[in-house]
Amino acid sequence: MLRVEDLYVAYGDIEVVHGIDVEVAPGEVVGIIGSNGAGKSSLLRAVCGLHPARSGEIRLAGRSIIGDPTFRIARAGLTYVPAERRLFPDMTVLDNLLMGAYPQRPAPGRVDEVVALFPRLQERRRQAAGTLSGGEQQMLAIGRALLAGPEVLVLDEPSTGLAPALADEVYAALRILRDDRDLTLILAEQQVGRALALVDRAYVIEQGRVRLQGTAAELRDDPDVQRAYLGIA
Amino acid sequence: MAIVLDGIVFGLQLSLLAVGLTLIYGLGGVLNLAHGQLVVVAGIAGAVTISAGAAIPVAVVLAVAAAAALAWLLDATLLRPVYRLTGERRVLLSLLVTLGVAFLLDGILITTHPFTALNLSVPGPAIDILGVRMRSGSVVASIIAVTALAAVLAFLRLSRFGRAVRSVIQDEEGAALCGVNLPLTRTVVFVLSGVMAGLFAITQGLISSVGATSGLDFTILALIVTVVGGLGRVSGALVAGLVLGIVHAVSSFYIGAFVTFVILLGVAMLTILIRPTGIFGGGAR
Amino acid sequence: MTAPVPSADGATPSAATCRHTTLRAYLPVAIAAAVLAAVPLALGGSGYLMSLATTALVFAAYAIGMNVIFGSSGQLFLCLGALAGVAGFTSVLLADDQGWPLALSVTTGVVLATAIGALFSWVAVRRNLGVIFVGIVTLAFSLVFTNLVQGLRTLTGGETGRVVDAGGAALRGPISSYYLFLGVVVGFLALYRWLEGSRTGWAWRALKDDPVAAELAGVDVARARILAGTIGAAMVGLIGALFAHHEAFISPTSYAFAHVDVRVLIVIAFGGIGSLLGPVVGAVMLGVIDEVLRPLGQLRLAVYGALLLALFLGFRRGVVPAVADVVTTWRRARTPSDAPAAGRGTRASKH
Amino acid sequence: MTALLEVRGVTRHFGGLPAVDGIDLEVAADEILAIIGPNGAGKSTLLQLINGLLAPTSAQRITLDGTELLGAKPHRIRRAGIATVLQTPRMFPSMSVRENAALGARFTGPPTGVQEELSPDEAAMRVLERLGLDDRADAAVDELTLHDKRLLDLARALAGGPRLVLLDEVMAGLNPTEIDRFVAVVRGIRDDLGVAIIWVEHVMRAVTDLADRVIVLEAGRILAEGDAVEVLRDRRVIEAYLGQQGDGHAAG
């Protein structure tokens, strides 16, 4: 479904991703785990076209999308939920959700379906997004992405800045999404425990390179994961 | 009362001018100092068409089309290199480039059409509104302004594309992630602002006249309203236009025109110094 | 390899080198002064040509002021004409109507313009206003000024202006006034060069490159910005006041936005923002263009607009520096030894 | 212990949420203190509260050697003796390497460990020699590698004679060899010049190598503090980094 080959990403002259390969099959749930600064966000921002890749290849359903503008990649079915969420603060929750479906009209009932996943949003439909709490904003960001009806949903650190209880709530929703087998899910997370409990398979990224990869079960039992992951070489 | 009504009419016109300016700024960080020249181009295009013997409606359509076309041309050519920059550098270059455009157009229009002016006198008697007699020209102008503003607001609030425009103003990256085509949105809004400038020219032609030398004045008026309403805030521009229109009318009547202009400029300066986000900036909704 | 040098030994030669480089720094100013001083000889004393040359000097001086304000600290003042006009009208009113001595009235005018410039800078820094807000506030001030002058007819003569009596032979004679303005321009250039080498100059360079890094390196960015606005406004005010007395006539037109600010922008765009002699070269070019375009009348406005566009879109750094670059590259290309190293950097990787 | 830097009760909110929540900390002269913690824990915010780039929402005091720095502008804090090196090298591209370093001395005292009066250029050369950049003193900063840019940033900091240097993730983007070189340089600065260092880092190898003491931040508060190896074994620290394993046990 998504294939990243030998990707290099740099900010100015700081190269942060040094030749990463990632492959995700349709319907798979894949984790990209690693400590902060490991290069997870840079990898994902390059995948969705928000930051240009220095070199490499990115294919979505077999078609090269490298160098495409973000809006085209979004329309091609890959939707990214950044850690900063990027909501429209002065627009209502409902308008934010409807923007997710842009440029089509959302299928009837689709908004209700998404809101059903996050009941907290229900009572706040007419409220401005900027007035929501951090957890609600994260839910809205995921909800907005779902309204696009993506084939690949990419989530960047959905637990960032959330109290544990709220993070649990977000992850509960993600578990429901995982069981929807039409959706391919890619999840970047620094909380390796949470991530491995959700995904089928994961890549452990360290300093811009893939350090380990394997099924969730393999990685959970790997004594190297914690060490590698904490960045102690 | 008649004065206040005059002020409201003028205020509606100001809103028409300022909403266009503020939308472009909100969307692309471009402060178009040639906005007034769009009005002048529309005015002269209309006047020339009329003097060539065309019917008024044809002239009106041509006038608005001329402003829209010029706006499109600006966006598609000279502003391309500007959009490639980011942040302060984009704002600065846009200021200098559009200032250059303003003088370029002024020079050409003043030389080629020194005495052309758009005057659209509407036949018919004055009309009684709330016990006040209004010239029919003012009534028609108000109807045009109100209709245009309502249409723009409805477009921004209700249509999918309008929602996309608002989303870009609030968060460019978020909008791109939702699949919004940013360059296309910018172009459409630029043309829309041209249409509004053209309509302003029509309303101004109904009430007084539009000549080649008034470009800078229109730009400054739009700028004042935009600043007082909060740069990039549509609802702010709308309210500020009405309020300043009334202030303008009352103050011109009781104090005099030149002091009025100084007062308006002073209000704009004070707004920036005290509350740069605008006095009526309730949000981009 | 540089070995650590014993300091007693190292001090003397380095101090000498220092003085040497200091003097060399003023060499371009001296050359410019010498060349400009010879201009009246070349023009053969024609009164008309002399007045054109004097106007060019006036614009060079305005542009140096703009270089101090905008070039060094990035504050877009769109009110140079108004600042000059404040000084000009103040000085004329005090000298002609109140009978003040010329020197005192000019000084008062300059002080007033300086205070206004300093105030704008101070507010902009305090409120942390971006380039666009500084631009709008100062543009609004320009228009307020023009409108006030036109409105206060009894004092200022309104739109038509008024005759200025105070002046004296030195300011009025075609040759003497040329040298007087030349003295001011050379003084400004020397001051500019001196500032460049001073702590303030380094503060300006640093804050233009990166204000946050400058602040972190110990630069008082706010003070440096306000100083730029203040010094620049003083320069502009001085020229504005002298100009009024020189012309023997004052009107809002000679200080209008379209007359002063737009042309100064063209001058510095041509000469290169922040370059020492750029304003002089740019002002001469503008003078020539003005003269060539005289028959065009109002169409000159269009040419100014086109120039502004072309200069800022085409030569972001200024025509003079760009030409200098081309010449250097061309020279380098002819000496094949160091050709491959030229102009290569890592900057290309930025997006 | 007499503290060089003392921070008491510093809090900073962003939009109502605390990024730094009532932090107390002390740094001794010539100590290397590392601050680690997951993304968004408030590490960089804390540094910016110390160097003045951010103003605290509330605070009791921030003192350097007894001098109150609370509310001072960044340039004042720099002149008082706290220099900063940020993750993204902040260069002055219009200046040469030497001029970049000299700028650090122009507005402050002489470099640390130097007694005599030096011109800014001389001060710059001293520091560039120490960091091994003197052979490129007249180069343009564009020509430097990332590693050398960080060194130059450090040179600019040292040229101003700081008592304390704040390093914000300066190992990010360096390769292993460069990390080793940089670690040696940082150690040299502390050992030879007696400059104290607060160091936000996530390259743990460098932290365990260098730090005298480690503070772990989570959600704007200090979660653990102590010797590097000890802290990294701390159960709470591992959990903060890794998140809870699966469902159920919600750590308070």
Side-chain angles (χ1 to χ4, degrees):
Chain A
M1 190 72 221
L2 181 75
R3 193 191 183 113
V4 175
E5 291 161 25
D6 203 23
L7 188 75
Y8 286 79
V9 182
Y11 289 89
D13 39 31
I14 308 185
E15 191 179 274
V16 287
V17 172
H18 325 278
I20 283 188
D21 296 276
V22 169
E23 197 171 352
V24 182
E28 210 180 5
V29 180
V30 169
I32 308 284
I33 57 182
S35 62
N36 48 351
K40 305 186 297 294
S41 292
S42 307
L43 165 67
L44 299 185
R45 287 177 66 83
V47 165
C48 71
L50 282 175
H51 189 83
R54 182 170 270 182
S55 67
E57 180 59 276
I58 304 170
R59 288 177 182 282
L60 179 65
R63 205 175 58 80
S64 172
I65 55 167
I66 198 157
D68 281 2
T70 301
F71 78 89
R72 199 154 289 148
I73 294 174
R75 290 181 186 185
L78 184 144
T79 307
Y80 174 60
V81 183
E84 329 75 274
R85 289 143 203 171
R86 296 278 176 198
L87 296 171
F88 309 118
D90 291 341
M91 284 162 64
T92 62
V93 167
L94 184 62
D95 274 357
N96 267 277
L97 288 173
L98 290 176
M99 270 311 295
Y102 189 86
Q104 276 88 39
R105 199 177 296 281
R110 190 81 183 104
V111 171
D112 293 324
E113 259 172 61
V114 167
V115 171
L117 200 58
F118 301 110
R120 277 165 180 267
L121 298 181
Q122 178 60 42
E123 59 221 61
R124 305 188 192 280
R125 283 180 113 156
R126 303 268 158 212
Q127 204 170 312
T131 64
L132 298 183
S133 76
E136 290 159 355
Q137 291 197 4
Q138 184 62 56
M139 293 171 195
L140 177 54
I142 297 173
R144 188 179 72 182
L146 285 173
L147 264 159
E151 288 166 48
V152 181
L153 179 64
V154 183
L155 301 163
D156 195 356
E157 305 226 357
S159 65
T160 295
L162 299 189
L166 276 169
D168 288 345
E169 218 171 301
V170 169
Y171 266 81
L174 292 183
R175 259 189 297 280
I176 298 173
L177 290 178
R178 172 182 63 182
D179 302 331
D180 166 12
R181 281 294 156 180
D182 287 340
L183 187 64
T184 307
L185 201 63
I186 299 174
L187 170 77
E189 184 54 89
Q190 54 170 335
Q191 299 195 345
V192 75
R194 275 192 197 288
L196 289 182
L198 185 79
V199 301
D200 305 329
R201 203 158 61 76
Y203 294 82
V204 180
I205 309 267
E206 193 200 328
Q207 285 182 40
R209 294 190 172 80
V210 175
R211 183 158 185 89
L212 290 164
Q213 65 179 86
T215 64
E218 282 166 13
L219 290 176
R220 248 195 306 263
D221 298 337
D222 189 325
D224 275 348
V225 167
Q226 285 193 359
R227 251 166 22 95
Y229 166 73
L230 276 171
I232 312 165
Chain B
M1 192 58 211
I3 298 160
V4 175
L5 218 53
D6 269 355
I8 292 174
V9 175
F10 188 54
L12 286 169
Q13 290 182 276
L14 286 182
S15 302
L16 201 54
L17 204 55
V19 166
L21 191 67
T22 216
L23 267 177
I24 298 175
Y25 179 77
L27 214 56
V30 168
L31 190 67
N32 181 13
L33 290 183
H35 198 59
Q37 275 69 24
L38 294 179
V39 177
V40 172
V41 163
I44 289 179
V48 168
T49 321
I50 290 174
S51 67
I56 300 257
V58 176
V60 166
V61 170
L62 267 176
V64 175
L70 180 61
W72 173 79
L73 194 68
L74 260 180
D75 177 73
T77 58
L78 292 175
L79 289 174
R80 282 293 128 124
V82 174
Y83 291 136
R84 252 176 256 136
L85 302 177
T86 52
E88 287 262 286
R89 282 149 50 86
R90 185 195 282 181
V91 173
L92 180 62
L93 190 62
S94 80
L95 222 61
L96 294 169
V97 165
T98 54
L99 188 67
V101 172
F103 277 91
L104 178 63
L105 290 173
D106 261 359
I108 293 173
L109 293 173
I110 293 172
T111 314
T112 54
H113 296 89
F115 307 113
T116 312
L118 180 67
N119 272 304
L120 300 165
S121 42
V122 177
I127 300 164
D128 261 9
I129 292 177
L130 302 170
V132 180
R133 295 185 72 76
M134 273 183 86
R135 282 180 304 145
S136 45
S138 295
V139 176
V140 177
S142 320
I143 293 171
I144 292 176
V146 169
T147 315
L149 285 170
V152 168
L153 276 193
F155 164 74
L156 283 179
R157 283 194 165 224
L158 304 177
S159 77
R160 252 179 306 139
F161 190 80
R163 205 184 295 127
V165 171
R166 284 189 290 146
S167 77
V168 175
I169 293 175
Q170 292 180 40
D171 194 318
E172 232 175 73
E173 198 167 279
L177 287 171
C178 289
V180 176
N181 182 343
L182 188 59
L184 179 71
T185 312
R186 227 159 24 200
T187 306
V188 171
V189 169
F190 225 108
V191 171
L192 184 69
S193 93
V195 169
M196 285 195 273
L199 288 174
F200 173 85
I202 304 302
T203 61
Q204 192 65 11
L206 284 164
I207 292 168
S208 60
S209 72
V210 179
T213 54
S214 359
L216 186 64
D217 294 338
F218 292 142
T219 303
I220 297 298
L221 279 174
L223 201 56
I224 292 172
V225 174
T226 306
V227 163
V228 173
L231 274 177
R233 291 172 187 271
V234 174
S235 56
L238 212 63
V239 180
L242 272 178
V243 172
L244 292 182
I246 295 171
V247 169
H248 181 270
V250 172
S251 158
S252 312
F253 185 79
Y254 289 106
I255 312 176
F258 104 87
V259 183
T260 298
F261 194 48
V262 172
I263 289 175
L264 292 185
L265 288 165
V267 169
M269 285 170 77
L270 281 177
T271 307
I272 288 183
L273 300 184
I274 293 164
R275 215 186 121 128
T277 49
I279 292 177
F280 304 106
R285 274 178 288 165
Chain C
M1 281 298 286
T2 340
V5 193
S7 61
D9 216 81
T12 346
S14 90
T17 329
C18 206
R19 199 167 309 123
H20 182 61
T21 47
T22 313
L23 281 181
R24 267 191 57 175
Y26 290 92
L27 194 62
V29 178
I31 293 174
V35 170
L36 290 174
V39 165
L41 302 176
L43 296 182
S46 147
Y48 176 66
L49 290 179
M50 280 315 295
S51 81
L52 288 184
T54 308
T55 309
L57 286 178
V58 166
F59 273 90
Y62 280 145
I64 298 170
M66 186 64 164
N67 243 345
V68 170
I69 303 173
F70 179 59
S72 64
S73 68
Q75 302 175 86
L76 183 63
F77 271 34
L78 294 177
C79 63
L80 291 198
L83 288 174
V86 164
F89 273 101
T90 307
S91 181
V92 166
L93 289 178
L94 291 176
D96 280 7
D97 296 359
Q98 307 296 320
W100 289 26
L102 188 60
L104 188 61
S105 66
V106 168
T107 310
T108 312
V110 173
V111 167
L112 196 58
T114 310
I116 293 173
L119 182 72
F120 279 135
S121 249
W122 182 75
V123 172
V125 167
R126 276 298 298 268
R127 308 277 319 171
N128 204 5
L129 298 181
V131 67
I132 195 158
F133 287 116
V134 175
I136 296 175
V137 167
T138 51
L139 178 61
F141 175 69
S142 284
L143 300 168
V144 166
F145 168 77
T146 309
N147 275 276
L148 280 181
V149 169
Q150 287 176 1
L152 302 170
R153 216 165 286 280
T154 44
L155 278 178
T156 61
E159 215 155 328
T160 42
R162 56 179 276 176
V163 171
V164 177
D165 293 330
L171 266 165
R172 298 282 164 84
I175 305 284
S176 61
S177 64
Y178 175 85
Y179 280 109
L180 189 118
F181 281 104
L182 177 60
V184 174
V185 166
V186 172
F188 282 8
L189 287 175
L191 177 63
Y192 187 81
R193 176 91 316 171
W194 177 78
L195 281 169
E196 273 188 323
S198 73
R199 261 165 65 109
T200 305
W202 281 102
W204 286 341
R205 265 180 89 178
L207 81 88
K208 258 214 106 179
D209 275 1
D210 185 337
V212 175
E215 188 78 34
L216 284 177
V219 175
D220 190 342
V221 170
R223 182 173 168 275
R225 284 217 167 102
I226 295 171
L227 219 52
T230 311
I231 298 173
M235 288 174 158
V236 170
L238 179 63
I239 284 296
L242 291 179
F243 183 70
H245 293 288
H246 159 72
E247 288 276 278
F249 178 75
I250 192 166
S251 80
T253 318
S254 31
Y255 300 113
F257 177 75
H259 187 74
V260 177
D261 292 86
V262 172
R263 292 153 135 242
V264 169
L265 281 175
I266 292 172
V267 169
I268 63 163
F270 200 94
I273 295 167
S275 89
L276 175 72
L277 295 182
V280 177
V281 179
V284 171
M285 282 313 301
L286 183 76
V288 171
I289 292 170
D290 258 351
E291 200 41 34
V292 172
L293 297 182
R294 190 169 295 279
L296 290 183
Q298 286 280 33
L299 203 55
R300 272 197 300 175
L301 265 188
V303 178
Y304 290 150
L307 268 176
L308 209 54
L309 269 176
L311 289 175
F312 277 105
L313 281 180
F315 303 90
R316 210 79 45 81
R317 293 175 44 231
V319 173
V320 175
V323 170
D325 266 10
V326 170
V327 172
T328 336
T329 333
W330 180 71
R331 274 216 201 118
R332 272 207 200 143
R334 285 174 33 125
T335 36
S337 60
D338 59 349
R344 281 241 313 210
T346 43
R347 196 182 283 164
S349 63
K350 276 183 194 158
H351 293 277
Chain D
M1 178 178 90
T2 49
L4 173 67
L5 177 82
E6 196 183 344
V7 174
R8 284 276 166 271
V10 173
T11 297
R12 166 73 195 207
H13 292 252
F14 288 113
L17 299 168
V20 164
D21 195 359
I23 290 227
D24 297 329
L25 84 97
E26 289 182 354
V27 183
D30 81 11
E31 185 182 13
I32 298 182
L33 169 70
I35 300 180
I36 63 171
N39 250 352
K43 304 178 302 274
S44 293
T45 307
L46 179 59
L47 284 198
Q48 292 181 42
L49 291 167
I50 296 173
N51 70 20
L53 282 182
L54 283 175
T57 310
S58 68
Q60 283 162 31
R61 64 170 173 276
I62 300 176
T63 57
L64 184 77
D65 218 7
T67 314
E68 183 61 74
L69 295 177
L70 202 56
K73 292 265 200 61
H75 69 268
R76 288 259 161 250
I77 293 174
R78 167 61 192 265
R79 292 179 193 181
I82 302 181
T84 310
V85 178
L86 297 172
Q87 181 183 2
T88 313
R90 304 301 286 244
M91 299 286 102
F92 300 113
S94 76
M95 304 179 198
S96 70
V97 168
R98 185 212 315 269
E99 288 169 333
N100 262 277
L103 200 89
R106 242 168 245 284
F107 300 88
T108 48
T112 315
V114 172
Q115 261 77 45
E116 71 249 60
E117 275 291 310
L118 292 181
S119 74
D121 272 347
E122 289 163 339
M125 284 316 292
R126 289 290 176 91
V127 180
L128 291 175
E129 275 164 31
R130 159 169 287 280
L131 299 183
L133 283 174
D134 49 326
D135 54 332
R136 273 155 291 173
D138 294 314
V141 289
D142 268 359
E143 294 164 22
L144 298 186
T145 63
L146 171 64
H147 173 261
D148 289 348
K149 281 185 182 172
R150 291 247 171 80
L151 277 184
L152 178 53
D153 226 340
L154 189 59
R156 199 193 300 133
L158 293 177
R163 316 269 314 270
L164 169 67
V165 177
L166 313 180
L167 302 177
D168 192 358
E169 305 204 357
V170 288
M171 303 291 175
L174 300 188
N175 65 40
T177 331
E178 290 173 331
I179 288 180
D180 291 342
R181 275 164 63 199
F182 211 92
V183 164
V185 167
V186 173
R187 181 179 287 128
I189 290 167
R190 193 271 305 270
D191 292 352
D192 304 349
L193 302 178
V195 174
I197 287 162
I198 298 184
W199 187 16
V200 165
E201 192 54 81
H202 55 249
V203 177
M204 295 298 169
R205 183 161 58 98
V207 171
T208 44
D209 270 9
L210 259 186
D212 300 318
R213 194 156 56 97
V214 175
I215 284 181
V216 185
L217 286 193
E218 201 215 8
R221 290 164 188 261
I222 294 180
L223 181 72
E225 182 174 354
D227 168 59
V229 178
E230 202 177 284
V231 159
L232 285 176
R233 279 208 202 100
D234 190 320
R235 190 72 222 153
R236 290 172 304 162
V237 175
I238 294 172
E239 249 174 39
Y241 265 91
L242 308 188
Q244 301 107 302
Q245 304 274 342
D247 310 342
H249 31 148

